[in-house]
Amino acid sequence: MEMLAYIILSLLLAVAPLAVRSERATNIIAGLFWVVQVAAIALLLGLGQVDRVMLTIFRADTLAVVFHLLLTVVLGFSLLFSSSYLKAENVSTNSYKTYYTLLMLLSVAITCVYYSHNVAMTWVFLEATTICSAGIIYHREFKQSLEATWKYIFVCSTGIAMAYLGILLLSTVAEHGSLDYTALQEVISKGNPLYLKVAFLLIVVGYSCKMEIFPLYTVGVDANYAAPAPASAFISTALVNAGFISIYRIYSLYASTEVFVWARHLLILIGILSLAVGAMFLRRTNNYKRFLSYSTVENMGIVAIGMGIGGIGLWAAVFHVMSHTLVKSSVFYQVGIMRHIYDSYSINRIGNYMNINRVGAIGFIVGTLVLLAFPPSPLFVSEVMIFTEIVSVGSWWLLLAMLVLMCVVIYSIWGRTLRLGYHSNQDELHLSEVNRRLSYCAALLLLVAMVFGVWQPAFLKDAIDVIVNIG
C-alpha cells in the first residue's frame, strides 16, 4: 500500500501544474514533488522496508533504493536549474508548466523501473520513459528538436520491441507464467541455452537505447542535444541509470546459467565498441551538449566492460555508474549556465570563459578533469579496479584497446575544455546572464563526487557489496 500511495501522490503532483495558472505555483508543486521523493526514501530506510515486495510487482531492494536516492539528488538540482533556464529562455507559462509536468512524470516512470520486480513491468515502465522524454526533447520546438523527437520515439520503440522479443524467449523458462526476477532466478538454469543467448542479446541491444551504449546510443545523443540543459542532465544520469539497472537485473539472472560466460563476453564486446564510438565522435563533434553525450557513451562502455570482466570489475561498474551520475549532471548544469551567456553550444565559436565567468569556467574545467578520471576522481578508483581485474584474468588485448581509446578521449575532451576557457570568443555575449550562484550550486555535486574519490563511506561500500552479490 505504501508504494501505491507513493505512485498516486507523485502522479497527482506531477500533473498538478497543468491545473494552476502561474509559474510560482508550478515551482511550489515541484518542490512538494521533490519532498515526496525524499520522504519515500526516508520511510523505506527508517521503517526497515528494504527488500520488501510491494504490490507484487515492486521490490525495494538495495539497488533500487540507492539509485532512487541518486535520482532524487539530481532531480532536486534539475528542478532548481530548470526554473532559471526556462525564465532565461522566455518560454510561455503553459510551456513552463508542461515542461515541469513531463520532467516529474519522467521521474515517476524511472523510479518505477528502479523498483520493478518483474521483467515485463520493467519493459512497460521503460516504454513510459520514452513517452515522457519525447515531450521534453520537443520542448524547445525548433526543427532539430522535432527531428530528434521522432528519431527518439522510433529508435526507442524499435529497441523496446526487440527487448520484448527477448522477454518472450526468456518467458519460455518461467513456471506458471511468473516473470518475477526471483521466480526466474530459480528456474532459468533449466532454460534452452540457445534461447537464453538470443534473449540476452535482444534485451541488451534493445535496452541499449536507454543505457546509451552501442548500438542504439544515437538516440541519447540527439535527445540531450535537443532537450533543455537541466533535463539533459537528468536524462544522461537518471534515465541512463534506468537502462543500466534493467540490463543489470537480467545480467544477474544469468549468473547461474551455463551461458553466463557468453553473456559476459557480449558485454565486453558492446563495451569496447561503445568506448570506440565515444572516442571517435568526441573528436568530430562541434557542440558541447553532444560532446557530453558522447562522453556518456564512453563511460557506459567502461561500465559494460566492468560487468563483462566480472570480479571486482563488477563492483567497480556499479560504483562508476553512481559516480558518473554526480559528475555528469554537474557538468551539464555548468553547460546550461554557459548557454545563456553565449547563446550557443558551438565549440569552434565560443571561448574566453575564464574571464567571463571564472567560477563557471573552473567548475567546467575541474568537472571535465574528474570526468576524465584524474585523481581525486571517483571514476579513477573504478577504472583502476577494472584494469586490475583485466590484468588478473590476462586479457591484455582488452587492456591495450581501452588504454588507446581512453587516450583519444582524454586528448579530445581536454583540448575542447581548454578552448572554452582560454580561446578567443567569436560569439555574441550576454554578460547580464552570468549567474555565479548557480555555478557554485552545480559545483556542489562535483565536490561530493571528489570526496567519494578519496573516501568511500562504509555504508556505500556495504550497499555495493549487497548489489553485486549475485552468486
Side-chain angles (χ1 to χ4, degrees):
M1 291 301 293
E2 293 89 348
M3 192 66 184
L4 181 61
Y6 162 77
I7 293 175
I8 292 174
L9 183 57
S10 295
L11 289 176
L12 288 175
L13 286 172
V15 300
L18 301 178
V20 300
R21 297 183 177 181
S22 67
E23 295 176 3
R24 182 182 179 185
T26 300
N27 292 337
I28 293 173
I29 292 169
L32 290 174
F33 179 88
W34 186 78
V35 169
V36 168
Q37 310 308 306
V38 175
I41 297 171
L43 287 173
L44 281 173
L45 297 176
L47 299 178
Q49 301 294 305
V50 178
D51 275 338
R52 180 185 172 190
V53 176
M54 300 169 288
L55 299 178
T56 70
I57 61 172
F58 297 107
R59 182 186 174 201
D61 61 0
T62 304
L63 178 64
V65 175
V66 168
F67 278 90
H68 187 194
L69 178 60
L70 285 171
L71 176 148
T72 303
V73 171
V74 176
L75 176 65
F77 279 87
S78 290
L79 293 174
L80 174 65
F81 278 84
S82 292
S83 178
S84 174
Y85 186 95
L86 295 176
K87 288 177 181 177
E89 291 284 306
N90 294 318
V91 301
S92 65
T93 300
N94 285 335
S95 181
Y96 189 98
K97 295 188 299 182
T98 301
Y99 169 86
Y100 268 92
T101 291
L102 289 169
L103 186 59
M104 289 186 285
L105 286 175
L106 176 60
S107 173
V108 175
I110 293 173
T111 302
C112 288
V113 173
Y114 290 173
Y115 286 101
S116 177
H117 188 51
N118 183 286
V119 175
M121 292 309 299
T122 299
W123 179 88
V124 171
F125 294 132
L126 276 176
E127 182 66 3
T129 66
T130 300
I131 299 171
C132 299
S133 299
I136 295 174
I137 295 166
Y138 183 61
H139 183 263
R140 295 169 68 188
E141 297 183 3
F142 57 90
K143 181 179 178 181
Q144 290 89 342
S145 63
L146 178 62
E147 179 182 344
T149 302
W150 280 114
K151 182 177 180 180
Y152 188 83
I153 293 173
F154 177 77
V155 177
C156 281
S157 297
T158 301
I160 294 297
M162 293 176 65
Y164 180 71
L165 293 176
I167 293 171
L168 287 179
L169 286 173
L170 196 59
S171 68
T172 59
V173 304
E175 291 185 352
H176 311 297
S178 176
L179 290 177
D180 287 351
Y181 288 107
T182 301
L184 285 173
Q185 185 74 66
E186 296 174 355
V187 299
I188 193 170
S189 60
K190 304 174 185 176
N192 184 302
L194 178 60
Y195 285 7
L196 292 178
K197 286 182 179 181
V198 176
F200 188 82
L201 176 63
L202 290 172
I203 292 173
V204 171
V205 171
Y207 288 166
S208 68
C209 62
K210 300 298 182 181
M211 190 177 167
E212 295 187 20
I213 53 176
F214 186 88
L216 303 181
Y217 63 90
T218 55
V219 289
V221 175
D222 290 333
N224 290 321
Y225 165 71
S232 297
F234 193 67
I235 291 171
S236 284
T237 54
L239 185 53
V240 165
N241 293 352
F244 164 74
I245 287 176
S246 301
I247 292 175
Y248 183 83
R249 292 197 187 279
I250 299 297
Y251 170 89
S252 300
L253 286 178
Y254 275 67
S256 60
T257 68
E258 62 181 271
V259 301
F260 187 49
V261 173
W262 178 89
R264 289 169 56 183
H265 289 164
L266 177 65
L267 285 173
I268 291 174
L269 176 61
I270 289 176
I272 201 67
L273 289 173
S274 300
L275 188 54
V277 165
M280 178 175 64
F281 283 99
L282 278 168
R283 292 284 302 133
R284 299 176 59 183
T285 185
N286 187 39
N287 181 283
Y288 275 110
K289 287 182 76 179
R290 288 186 179 274
F291 178 74
L292 292 179
S293 298
Y294 283 118
S295 169
T296 301
V297 176
E298 176 250 336
N299 274 283
M300 290 304 106
I302 293 173
V303 169
I305 292 171
M307 292 171 64
I309 206 67
I312 61 171
L314 181 58
W315 197 101
V318 176
F319 182 65
H320 196 95
V321 176
M322 294 178 180
S323 303
H324 175 264
T325 301
L326 299 173
V327 178
K328 183 56 65 66
S329 57
S330 175
V331 180
F332 256 115
Y333 296 139
Q334 295 288 6
V335 167
I337 298 167
M338 180 183 74
R339 160 75 170 78
H340 291 123
I341 297 174
Y342 293 104
D343 199 28
S344 170
Y345 292 114
S346 175
I347 292 175
N348 291 336
R349 291 188 57 83
I350 64 178
N352 198 33
Y353 198 38
M354 186 63 73
N355 293 322
I356 297 169
N357 179 15
R358 186 175 297 273
V359 176
I362 292 174
F364 183 80
I365 291 172
V366 174
T368 52
L369 281 173
V370 174
L371 199 58
L372 290 171
F374 284 95
S377 171
L379 303 182
F380 173 79
V381 176
S382 55
E383 289 180 11
V384 167
M385 293 175 73
I386 291 173
F387 290 150
T388 301
E389 186 64 25
I390 291 174
V391 171
S392 69
V393 300
S395 187
W396 297 103
W397 73 268
L398 179 59
L399 179 65
L400 179 61
M402 287 186 68
L403 289 176
V404 170
L405 291 172
M406 291 175 72
C407 285
V408 176
V409 169
I410 291 171
Y411 175 79
S412 302
I413 292 181
W414 189 232
R416 283 157 174 75
T417 300
L418 291 178
R419 183 183 184 91
L420 173 65
Y422 299 101
H423 197 271
S424 60
N425 178 57
Q426 303 176 38
D427 212 345
E428 182 181 356
L429 289 175
H430 305 277
L431 297 180
S432 61
E433 297 296 335
V434 175
N435 193 330
R436 292 178 176 83
R437 286 179 298 178
L438 287 180
S439 295
Y440 278 118
C441 189
L444 288 176
L445 288 171
L446 189 61
L447 180 61
V448 173
M450 292 169 69
V451 169
F452 287 158
V454 295
W455 172 67
Q456 298 85 45
F459 72 86
L460 178 62
K461 292 181 178 179
D462 292 342
I464 299 179
D465 287 342
V466 172
I467 291 170
V468 301
N469 184 24
I470 60 177

